[in-house]
Amino acid sequence: MSEHVSESEEDERITITHGAGGQATRDLVSETLTEGFGEAAEALVGLHDWDDGAVLPVGDENLVVTTDTHVVQPPFFPGGDIGRLAISGTVNDLAVMGATEVKGLTSAVVIEANYPRENLERIAESMAETCREASALVVSGDTKVMGNGELDGVTINTAGVGIAEHVTPDSGLAPNDVVLVTGAIGEHGISLLAEREGIDFEAELESDVQPLNDLLASALDAASESVTAMKDPTRTGLAGSLNEMARKSDVGIEITDERVPVTEDVTGAGELLGLDPYQIANEGVAILGVEPTAAESVLKTLRDHPKGANAAAIGKAIDDHRGRVVLDTGIGNRYLREPSKEAVPRIC
Ligand code: MG
């Protein structure tokens, strides 16, 4: 096939922005990849809900199913690697749907010919270690090799299944629900970009990549029915995820800037790199919506857990500004918008 394309044909090519997880991704996927599919008749949460996973009733139980492909560049980065990311990403997508106990994971690995065997061993070891941390097992898998130059190193798809006793969809927020985050934001995206650009900050920047199912299980144990919504703010950052939750729940969300946990190192590096921590990927943080009566006890439970020491109540769902996120900056209010393009491609 000729590489030459006319300008009009060029318009029809996929761009990096289509992978950013924002409006361009939604348009492309809804017009192509999901258009031909109906909705599973009994799905509580299905394909067209665009949530972290699907929820399908099986007997009396809610089966949660999710899948994610990992293309992070570089595959080894401060605080983690593509193996830890692949396991954590899928475990967390299950957990934020309410399935904190993993029934099983699958792992499909595509490797470029000539790839160092030593790297593959490191990745596999990291996957196994992260599985132990998450009390999860890979129960099925697939391995393919593509020609040299046909792929950039290694790509991993992981899928997972679990059972949710109480489903926590993006759309579950109601006015007055308190919005919590489980930790400081922006660490994965900022540290990855600093590594990729070869910028040596004095600050210790490390990805937050980690499985959160143990932390979220403790929150659900503390107040199961009172946790109304959960989401992991990955590709589009806290800003993108809060906008999605506001839109799907048909509420506004009001956030107070000074309550949002961000380390000074991330803020400083973000300023130098021109990146807003609100719009940068996290891989070890979750957002929770909690009914006001239970918010304090859930927050305390999170903070008592080693993975939730920096958890904070950052705002609440409100009745107006539906579908939007209002940020109180301390000197005034402004809308917090989702990123229109990917600040950092190949981040997860
Ligand atoms: Mg997710």
Side-chain angles (χ1 to χ4, degrees):
M1 194 179 78
S2 163
E3 284 300 308
H4 176 79
V5 286
S6 73
E7 231 167 75
S8 62
E9 284 172 318
E10 207 161 16
D11 290 343
E12 299 298 314
R13 298 290 178 121
I14 306 305
T15 67
I16 283 286
T17 303
H18 287 123
Q23 190 61 47
T25 306
R26 286 196 293 276
D27 289 346
L28 174 72
V29 173
S30 60
E31 288 162 13
T32 59
L33 295 168
T34 61
E35 208 208 21
F37 295 98
E39 200 63 272
E42 308 207 318
L44 293 178
V45 180
L47 182 67
H48 301 279
D49 292 312
W50 292 77
D51 211 318
D52 299 290
V55 183
L56 308 170
V58 177
D60 296 337
E61 300 198 292
N62 296 316
L63 179 72
V64 180
V65 184
T66 192
T67 184
D68 228 317
T69 300
H70 300 87
V71 298
V72 65
Q73 181 60 31
F76 299 94
F77 49 83
D81 54 58
I82 192 171
R84 182 165 177 80
L85 184 66
I87 299 299
S88 301
T90 294
V91 166
N92 292 347
D93 276 340
L94 290 175
V96 294
M97 296 305 295
T100 53
E101 191 183 319
V102 181
K103 287 289 179 195
L105 301 174
T106 71
S107 159
V109 184
V110 189
I111 313 157
E112 181 187 11
N114 248 348
Y115 193 69
R117 184 187 168 106
E118 188 196 340
N119 287 4
L120 191 63
E121 285 171 355
R122 275 176 69 192
I123 291 167
E125 239 169 70
S126 176
M127 291 176 85
E129 195 187 306
T130 312
C131 275
R132 284 192 290 275
E133 188 180 330
S135 304
L137 287 173
V138 171
V139 295
S140 182
D142 179 50
T143 309
K144 298 274 161 58
V145 178
M146 291 177 72
N148 200 349
E150 293 175 358
L151 177 79
D152 185 12
V154 65
T155 294
I156 304 174
N157 176 278
T158 43
V161 292
I163 304 288
E165 272 176 37
H166 170 64
V167 178
T168 47
D170 292 351
S171 59
L173 286 178
N176 293 320
D177 284 355
V178 177
V179 175
L180 309 178
V181 289
T182 62
I185 61 162
E187 290 175 355
H188 179 73
I190 295 278
S191 65
L192 200 84
L193 190 73
E195 174 77 4
R196 201 187 291 169
E197 301 291 305
I199 303 169
D200 199 8
F201 291 104
E202 265 175 48
E204 281 282 308
L205 293 171
E206 271 199 356
S207 168
D208 59 351
V209 58
Q210 60 182 344
L212 293 169
N213 56 331
D214 49 353
L215 174 68
L216 297 180
S218 70
L220 290 175
D221 281 349
S224 169
E225 302 288 311
S226 303
V227 178
T228 56
M230 294 201 280
K231 185 160 196 66
D232 57 339
T234 51
R235 255 189 307 191
T236 60
L238 189 68
S241 292
L242 289 173
N243 271 285
E244 256 188 87
M245 294 174 89
R247 211 163 44 233
K248 292 178 188 170
S249 303
D250 195 24
V251 296
I253 298 177
E254 196 176 63
I255 298 297
T256 302
D257 186 46
E258 68 169 11
R259 291 203 207 151
V260 176
V262 193
T263 66
E264 275 177 28
D265 290 347
V266 163
T267 306
E271 275 168 16
L272 287 169
L273 292 164
L275 294 172
D276 177 357
Y278 279 102
Q279 303 209 339
I280 281 292
N282 308 276
E283 292 294 343
V285 173
I287 304 168
L288 286 78
V290 185
E291 289 171 3
T293 48
E296 209 163 301
S297 76
V298 171
L299 181 59
K300 185 183 179 316
T301 305
L302 291 171
R303 282 184 174 160
D304 285 345
H305 193 285
K307 291 180 179 176
N310 297 315
I314 61 170
K316 63 174 185 174
I318 53 175
D319 220 350
D320 47 5
H321 300 285
R322 284 165 188 255
R324 311 193 76 167
V325 181
V326 180
L327 182 70
D328 175 356
T329 63
I331 48 168
N333 289 347
R334 67 170 173 90
Y335 285 123
L336 184 64
R337 295 175 206 282
E338 69 174 7
S340 56
K341 60 182 179 35
E342 195 161 33
V344 190
R346 293 189 62 184
I347 197 120
C348 55

